Amino acid sequence: MRIARHLVDGQPALALVTDEGLATLESDHTDLPSLLNAAEGDLISAVEAMATGPVRTLDDAQLLSPVGRPPAILAVGLNYGAHAAEGGREPPSVPIIFNKHHNCIVGPGAAIHLPAAAPNMVDYEGELAVVIGRSARAVSAADAADYIAGYTIMNDVSVRDWQRASPTMTMGKSWDTHGPCGPWIVTSDSIDPHSCRLVTEVSGEVRQDAKTDDLIFDCYQVVEHLSTAFTLDPGTIISTGTPAGVGLFFDPPRLLSAGDEVSITIEGIGTLTNPVIAEPGA
C-alpha cells in the first residue's frame, strides 16, 4: 500500500495511491502522525476504510511530503560500508545519530535552496527513510518491524562546510528545504527494506547506485538503538544513511549548483525529484 499527502482545494489531505491515481481519505486527519495515532497500529485497515474520496490522477496532483510535521527527524551517519570506505573511515561500532530540524522538510518537486550564507558546498545524499507507526520504546531488533508504518525516500541535503565546523552535524543538515521527502510512504508489508536498489541522479547523471544490503546497521537495529534511549512517536522519520557516491568525495568534488535536479529512486518505493535553485531573495 502507498499513502501520499497532497493538496485538495489548497489544503493538505492524505490519499491512497492506486493504479488510477490518488483516492483522497475522507477523514479529519490531514497528516500522517494524527492518522497513525488514531489507527492504533492498524494503518492499512484505517486507510482502506477512509479511501472513499474522489480519485485524482497523479499528473493533476500536487504531492507534499508524506509526513508534513514529523514529531522528530533522526538520521544515521556513515551507515553504508562503501560510503565509510570512500571517506577513508572505519565503519562505526555504534550508529552515529543526528537530528534534522522539522522545517527542512519539503515534498516532491519543491526546490532545494542553495543558502545565501553557504552556497558552495551543498551536497546530495539519497537515503531510505523509516516512518514509525506506533509508539516505540525499548523495542528489540527482532520486533522492530511491528513498529514501522512504512518507508519513504529522503534527500539528506548537507551543507558540508557547516557540517564540518561543529562537533555535531545538526547545523549542516537542517537548513530550510534540505530534507526533501516522498513521493509517498510504502507500507512495511509491501517492501523488504534491506534488499532495495537505491540510485541517485544529478541532472540525469548517476552518482549513487547501491543496494540497501550494504547498510552497516539495518533499519531494525537502528530502531532498537534509538528506542533504547527514548520513545519514538508515531510519524517519526529515521533516515538510514547514504551510500557511496556523494559529491564531496569526487576528485574534484561535484557539489550542487543552481539549475541542477536531484532524483532519488528506491526500488519498491518510487522516485523523489527536486530542482536546485539559489535561495530566493538572496
Side-chain angles (χ1 to χ4, degrees):
M1 174 181 285
R2 295 172 294 169
I3 302 167
R5 187 165 160 268
H6 66 136
L7 283 180
V8 177
D9 297 328
Q11 299 298 316
L14 295 169
L16 173 65
V17 184
T18 71
D19 291 341
E20 289 73 37
L22 301 176
T24 300
L25 304 193
E26 295 292 341
S27 167
D28 293 332
H29 305 293
T30 60
D31 202 354
L32 195 67
S34 173
L35 177 60
L36 288 168
N37 280 307
E40 297 181 342
D42 193 359
L43 176 63
I44 292 173
S45 294
V47 170
E48 288 176 340
M50 296 176 184
T52 58
V55 175
R56 173 177 303 194
T57 66
L58 284 172
D59 289 341
D60 294 332
Q62 182 177 343
L63 290 175
L64 306 171
S65 167
V67 186
R69 198 174 182 87
I73 308 169
L74 301 161
V76 190
L78 212 66
N79 198 29
Y80 279 76
H83 179 48
E86 73 173 347
R89 304 277 296 275
E90 290 295 323
S93 58
V94 295
I96 298 171
I97 303 298
F98 58 91
N99 296 75
K100 289 177 76 76
H101 192 270
H102 62 80
N103 282 338
C104 76
I105 292 287
V106 293
I112 298 167
H113 295 171
L114 299 178
N120 298 320
M121 293 192 71
V122 180
D123 208 348
Y124 55 87
E125 293 193 12
E127 305 197 3
L128 172 71
V130 170
V131 180
I132 295 296
R134 57 193 180 102
S135 183
R137 177 70 203 277
V139 172
S140 70
D143 294 332
D146 295 335
Y147 291 81
I148 295 173
Y151 301 87
T152 189
I153 303 169
M154 175 165 276
N155 188 350
D156 177 24
V157 179
S158 304
V159 181
R160 297 299 190 191
D161 43 354
W162 279 61
Q163 178 184 345
R164 289 173 161 181
S166 169
T168 63
M169 290 186 278
T170 297
M171 288 299 289
K173 297 282 192 173
S174 294
W175 294 71
D176 287 358
T177 76
H178 287 191
C181 188
W184 39 64
I185 289 169
V186 174
T187 53
S188 56
D189 64 316
S190 303
I191 187 173
D192 177 356
H194 303 125
S195 65
C196 301
R197 184 183 179 196
L198 186 159
V199 177
T200 302
E201 298 177 71
V202 177
S203 299
E205 178 188 20
V206 173
R207 299 281 185 88
Q208 297 179 293
D209 189 347
K211 293 289 291 291
T212 54
D213 61 5
D214 191 40
L215 284 165
I216 297 169
F217 303 100
D218 70 27
C219 299
Y220 307 149
Q221 291 170 316
V222 171
V223 169
E224 177 182 72
H225 179 73
L226 293 170
S227 71
T228 300
F230 46 79
T231 301
L232 300 172
D233 293 319
T236 295
I237 296 174
I238 306 169
S239 204
T240 59
T242 201
V246 297
L248 181 66
F249 293 133
F250 281 88
D251 185 15
R254 304 180 70 182
L255 299 159
L256 295 176
S257 301
D260 282 337
E261 182 179 77
V262 184
S263 292
I264 304 163
T265 301
I266 296 183
E267 181 183 13
I269 298 179
T271 300
L272 171 68
T273 299
N274 299 88
V276 180
I277 65 171
E279 182 179 3

